[in-house]
Amino acid sequence: MEKITNSDKVLLLGKSDFLVDVSKGLFHTNHGTINLSKLVGKKFGVKIKSSKGELFYVLRPNINDFLDKRLARLPQIISLKDCSLIAGYTGLSSGYRVVEAGTGSAFLTTFMANLVKPDGKIFTYELRTDFFKSAKKNIDDSSLSAFIDAKNKDVSKGFREKDVDLVVLDMIGAEKIVSKARKALKSGGFLVVYSPYIEQVKVVCAAIEMESFVDVRTIECLVRDYKITRDFSRPNTTMLAHTGYITFARKV
Ligand SMILES: C[S@@+](CC[C@H](N)C(=O)[O-])C[C@H]1O[C@@H](n2cnc3c(N)ncnc32)[C@H](O)[C@@H]1O
């Protein structure tokens, strides 16, 4: 089992969960102060007590812990369930070269970078400088920046990348980028458009129809959690009902 160093990030699982840098030293929470320096040299999986006697499990964080607990959110992100479908339906994996717009909070960017490493790359475009700066901080914090080329540019002015495996668009006016996406894609590559509104899906699908794409489909994903007890079990009463529609198309 690997030992914790001062340059690690750790996931603390307790009454509340946190993802923190060990180098922070003292970490103050509502459940007491945690002395992180005591963790150096210990194995991931150990337990640590706060000054109030609360117990925390210390784990090595994965990408989902980073996305959930650490990534700062400015524009609306693509939720993990939808990111997962984008990866699953396009076969996103090591070596893929991807063009993305807009970067937004870099949630999807870092999710994809974790899958395309070590040989692939995400080329991501963000129009707004304030969002770009915040996204760049998230990217640097993710330890995945070597696999991400982030640009503070308007994607509608075009992009230089060619023979890419995937173009993902999550931005207003995505329909205007469809023909540029087709030119950048390799044969067999995927276009994915994420649209919060069904009216956007209709204009995007009309633009896709004008180009050489096949296997066009639009889906949405509803995830329902269950409350399981020894007596009666049922779906939770509340759920995230709508996030967005995902349209897939393949270049031929
Ligand atoms: C909903 S956010 C993207 C969120 C991102 N998918 C995530 O998971 O964090 C949409 C972003 O597209 C950007 N955008 C809009 N038009 C653009 C353009 N022409 N070029 C580049 N970015 C653009 C917006 O500024 C905004 O940050």
Side-chain angles (χ1 to χ4, degrees):
M1 177 99 48
E2 283 173 285
K3 289 190 175 164
I4 300 168
T5 70
N6 196 48
S7 54
D8 278 321
K9 289 182 174 68
V10 288
L11 177 67
L12 301 171
L13 291 185
K15 278 195 173 156
S16 301
D17 305 334
F18 306 98
L19 203 166
V20 284
D21 293 291
V22 174
S23 59
K24 199 172 169 66
L26 292 180
F27 180 58
H28 304 286
T29 77
N30 287 341
H31 310 291
T33 299
I34 301 167
N35 188 350
L36 297 167
S37 56
K38 280 189 181 168
L39 293 174
V40 176
K42 302 258 173 65
K43 290 176 180 168
F44 279 100
V46 290
K47 290 175 254 180
I48 190 168
K49 266 190 186 164
S50 74
S51 58
K52 286 187 179 171
E54 293 293 347
L55 202 64
F56 289 85
Y57 289 94
V58 184
L59 304 181
R60 184 183 275 291
N62 70 16
I63 182 69
N64 295 347
D65 299 318
F66 170 78
L67 293 170
D68 186 40
K69 297 188 174 57
R70 183 94 169 191
L71 181 127
R73 299 177 186 194
L74 269 186
Q76 182 62 47
I77 60 143
I78 297 188
S79 65
L80 190 59
K81 69 181 175 67
D82 294 327
C83 291
S84 310
L85 284 179
I86 292 170
Y89 280 68
T90 62
L92 187 67
S93 50
S94 175
Y96 263 47
R97 292 173 67 252
V98 181
V99 170
E100 180 200 29
T103 315
S105 302
F107 189 101
L108 178 66
T109 319
T110 45
F111 173 88
M112 292 194 295
N114 185 56
L115 291 175
V116 305
K117 69 180 187 192
D119 304 318
K121 195 122 192 169
I122 313 297
F123 303 90
T124 185
Y125 290 76
E126 174 53 53
L127 182 64
R128 282 182 49 167
T129 304
D130 52 346
F131 290 167
F132 173 79
K133 282 184 183 160
S134 168
K136 194 75 182 62
K137 273 192 198 151
N138 282 333
I139 289 167
D140 292 342
D141 193 31
S142 73
S143 313
L144 291 163
S145 57
F147 316 107
I148 299 170
D149 183 354
K151 306 165 205 254
N152 186 192
K153 282 189 183 161
D154 180 350
V155 79
S156 66
K157 302 233 165 87
F159 34 91
R160 280 187 298 133
E161 291 75 28
K162 291 271 171 261
D163 287 328
V164 301
D165 302 276
L166 169 64
V167 175
V168 190
L169 304 173
D170 173 17
M171 52 175 277
I172 290 168
E175 66 281 1
K176 294 183 198 122
I177 315 297
V178 170
S179 80
K180 289 185 177 68
R182 196 192 69 79
K183 286 188 192 103
L185 282 166
K186 60 164 69 157
S187 182
F190 288 87
L191 169 66
V192 172
V193 183
Y194 181 83
S195 319
Y197 302 105
I198 201 72
E199 289 77 10
Q200 294 171 312
V201 174
K202 287 164 83 176
V203 288
V204 161
C205 285
I208 287 173
E209 211 180 298
M210 305 287 285
E211 306 284 342
S212 303
F213 284 104
V214 293
D215 279 348
V216 184
R217 69 188 296 206
T218 298
I219 60 172
E220 76 168 319
C221 172
L222 307 180
V223 173
R224 194 157 77 155
D225 279 89
Y226 282 73
K227 188 178 169 63
I228 307 293
T229 70
R230 280 174 186 266
D231 305 318
F232 300 105
S233 301
R234 56 164 174 74
N236 284 352
T237 42
T238 56
M239 64 185 279
L240 184 59
H242 176 71
T243 51
Y245 305 99
I246 315 171
T247 299
F248 296 86
R250 203 156 190 194
K251 177 181 170 177
V252 283

